[in-house]
Amino acid sequence: MFLVSKNKIKHWLGTTIVFTSICISWPVLADNATSTQIIDCRASEYFNGWPQEGMKLGGHIPNAVNIRAQWLDNMSVAERTHFLVDQKQLNKNQPIKIYCDSGNAKKLQQQLTGIDFKSVAIMQKPLSDFQDQLVALPHFKTLVSPRWLNLLVSHSSSNDAQLVAAPQHDFKIIEAGWGPATGYLLSHVKGAIYANTNDFESKPLWNVVPPAQLQQNIEKLGITQDTTVVLYGRDNLGAARIAQILMYAGVKDVRLLDGGWEAWQAADLPTQSGNNSVKNVVKFGAKVPAHPEYITDVSQVKIMLKDSDNNSLVSVRTWSEYIGDTSGYSYIKPKGRVDGAKWGQGGKNSNNLDDFTNPDGTMRSASEIQSKWQAWNIRTDQKVSFYCGTGWRASAVFLYAYAMGWNNISVFDGGWYQWSLDGNNPTLTGTPSAVH
């Protein structure tokens, strides 16, 4: 039995949990609290905090690991074992309890026992019995699912009750991409307008455009500070880049389609072709940028690096980029990292963030991400700035951190590109001898 007073806040694996009942017990763990492993095999949206149909609250049972049966379908036995044991840290010899719908729970149970997991049971009690215990990301609404976006697109009085966290004012759906809107014109989410990343960042450094130009380009899209903006992309990193810049500008409600265009297609949801134009240019309604703290420049980075215990400059590039084996870009010649930067994980190349995403492209669980950051002394009580080559990957990680409730965060806008162009800026290559 675990008792807490009403509305007391606890922290579990770095994620804030708000308990609203006076007495809480964890019967699912009561038989073997130190060894029972729990798997939540539902979609990541529900794991992160969106309420499932029939429930008031969303989230997952504390300590649960998010694993979907669908993720394992196209994996070999060796790949499944690596994913479950090495990445998800499951122990084959300790008991496992699974919860999701019966069909997927049985499928996952068979997949696990098929690779020698010894004791795999399906939780019989409905998840609603544990509703007051569930752990949710503090800002889970930042990441939306195709299901939610489809409800928004088809929003009417008949489905008002289904639309959790509905926009408070008007909304805009934006497909973001670099260059001409070729793919968008062929097929896109109904009602979406196209935004070119070139309108938000500019050569030669690909930093955010000046405030006056930024405000003008935002207003041309029909966006005010009160507009709810939902973004997605064929490369979702570009959508994340614009999303982060909109937050910097002062848009109060910015959301990202978790998994991007691929998630929308995988859900087999309606699309349309052609172009949706903005009918009216609006006034933004606030000074731009309203949140200058969300973007960090070179001079601010140099100040941060003087105190590595209270600040973290975090490289979210690949390990090969971090240690200087490659620059990661055809147009960036210098290799290495900012001297003093910590490694916050990345992906297999400069175009993805595999270390931060599930097999379906959605965000990995907060506990998995934060455990890797803790190993590099990247903490919630620090001022943290993420950087990559020019800003796309860093913006996506910024949004993940924001969804997880990290408050004092920013993107180092110039990234490795701007830093490395000045030979007076200290850089390093090679494997660090110790974590900073």
Side-chain angles (χ1 to χ4, degrees):
M1 182 74 71
F2 181 50
L3 302 177
V4 296
S5 61
K6 187 175 183 180
N7 293 328
K8 187 173 181 180
I9 296 177
K10 286 284 183 180
H11 293 277
W12 193 277
L13 292 176
T15 302
T16 301
I17 312 167
V18 181
F19 296 110
T20 56
S21 62
I22 295 176
C23 178
I24 294 175
S25 62
W26 291 356
V28 72
L29 297 176
D31 56 344
N32 195 347
T34 60
S35 62
T36 299
Q37 304 167 105
I38 308 172
I39 295 177
D40 183 328
C41 48
R42 300 173 303 154
S44 57
E45 61 180 296
Y46 304 126
F47 182 87
N48 287 340
W50 289 92
Q52 199 165 359
E53 187 176 353
M55 295 183 65
K56 296 180 296 182
L57 302 173
H60 57 273
I61 292 174
N63 269 352
V65 179
N66 190 206
I67 300 171
R68 303 193 71 192
Q70 294 92 325
W71 296 348
L72 307 181
D73 283 342
N74 297 319
M75 295 184 187
S76 66
V77 170
E79 289 171 336
R80 287 182 182 180
T81 301
H82 172 74
F83 177 72
L84 296 167
V85 176
D86 297 330
Q87 290 191 31
K88 295 296 183 179
Q89 297 290 295
L90 294 178
N91 188 321
K92 287 188 174 184
N93 297 314
Q94 291 180 348
I96 290 176
K97 288 186 177 179
I98 301 173
Y99 67 89
C100 62
D101 65 276
S102 60
N104 282 311
K106 289 177 181 178
K107 181 179 180 180
L108 183 58
Q109 182 184 42
Q110 292 171 353
Q111 290 170 328
L112 293 175
T113 55
I115 52 175
D116 299 325
F117 278 81
K118 304 304 181 187
S119 175
V120 184
I122 298 173
M123 193 172 76
Q124 298 304 312
K125 287 190 175 185
L127 187 60
S128 56
D129 284 6
F130 309 101
Q131 188 158 265
D132 290 336
Q133 304 173 34
L134 301 182
V135 181
L137 298 184
H139 297 149
F140 67 86
K141 298 171 187 175
T142 302
L143 302 173
V144 305
S145 68
R147 179 192 63 84
W148 183 91
L149 182 54
N150 187 49
L151 280 173
L152 178 65
V153 170
S154 57
H155 190 55
S156 67
S157 58
S158 62
N159 61 30
D160 280 355
Q162 300 178 55
L163 194 61
V164 177
Q168 297 300 301
H169 303 281
D170 67 313
F171 68 88
K172 288 286 187 295
I173 301 170
I174 292 179
E175 177 173 321
W178 179 72
T182 306
Y184 164 85
L185 291 173
L186 293 174
S187 181
H188 55 258
V189 175
K190 184 178 179 182
I193 57 178
Y194 185 76
N196 191 334
T197 57
N198 287 336
D199 292 332
F200 292 83
E201 55 180 12
S202 61
K203 295 180 180 179
L205 299 175
W206 301 110
N207 286 356
V208 63
V209 297
Q213 183 182 349
L214 175 59
Q215 180 171 339
Q216 184 180 49
N217 290 340
I218 291 173
E219 292 173 344
K220 286 180 180 178
L221 292 172
I223 295 172
T224 74
Q225 63 173 333
D226 294 317
T227 303
T228 293
V229 184
V230 185
L231 298 104
Y232 73 91
R234 282 147 219 272
D235 180 349
N236 225 33
L237 298 179
R241 175 64 163 158
I242 294 181
Q244 200 273 340
I245 291 173
L246 289 177
M247 293 175 66
Y248 157 80
V251 179
K252 298 174 185 176
D253 187 5
V254 179
R255 311 192 194 189
L256 183 72
L257 177 60
D258 204 9
W261 174 245
E262 289 186 5
W264 185 267
Q265 288 188 305
D268 197 25
L269 292 169
T271 62
Q272 67 176 177
S273 60
N275 184 45
N276 293 315
S277 59
V278 178
K279 296 179 180 179
N280 298 309
V281 175
V282 297
K283 294 295 183 181
F284 185 69
K287 181 182 178 181
V288 175
H291 289 288
E293 72 276 11
Y294 284 164
I295 286 184
T296 300
D297 62 22
V298 171
S299 62
Q300 292 169 319
V301 164
K302 290 180 177 180
I303 294 172
M304 288 179 64
L305 292 171
K306 294 178 180 179
D307 184 358
S308 61
D309 190 54
N310 291 309
N311 302 295
S312 282
L313 178 65
V314 181
S315 170
V316 292
R317 305 164 75 207
T318 66
W319 179 248
S320 293
E321 289 172 283
Y322 181 78
I323 64 175
D325 284 349
T326 177
S327 75
Y329 300 80
S330 60
Y331 57 88
I332 300 178
K333 302 307 178 185
K335 301 175 183 178
R337 62 183 178 274
V338 177
D339 187 359
K342 303 171 185 179
W343 190 54
Q345 308 294 306
K348 61 178 178 285
N349 57 50
S350 60
N351 296 315
N352 70 76
L353 284 170
D354 289 351
D355 292 339
F356 290 90
T357 57
N358 295 313
D360 62 0
T362 57
M363 174 187 156
R364 286 178 69 168
S365 67
S367 61
E368 293 176 46
I369 294 172
Q370 290 179 153
S371 66
K372 295 178 182 295
W373 286 353
Q374 288 166 3
W376 283 81
N377 192 32
I378 303 166
R379 310 190 311 268
T380 57
D381 63 335
Q382 295 172 329
K383 181 178 181 180
V384 178
S385 189
F386 303 103
Y387 84 93
C388 55
T390 58
W392 285 30
R393 286 176 288 176
S395 294
V397 176
F398 173 96
L399 291 175
Y400 293 155
Y402 181 83
M404 293 189 295
W406 288 53
N407 296 315
N408 199 1
I409 55 176
S410 67
V411 167
F412 170 29
D413 193 31
W416 173 246
Y417 192 20
Q418 183 174 9
W419 185 270
S420 64
L421 287 175
D422 185 346
N424 293 318
N425 290 334
T427 63
L428 285 177
T429 59
T431 303
S433 58
V435 173
H436 295 277

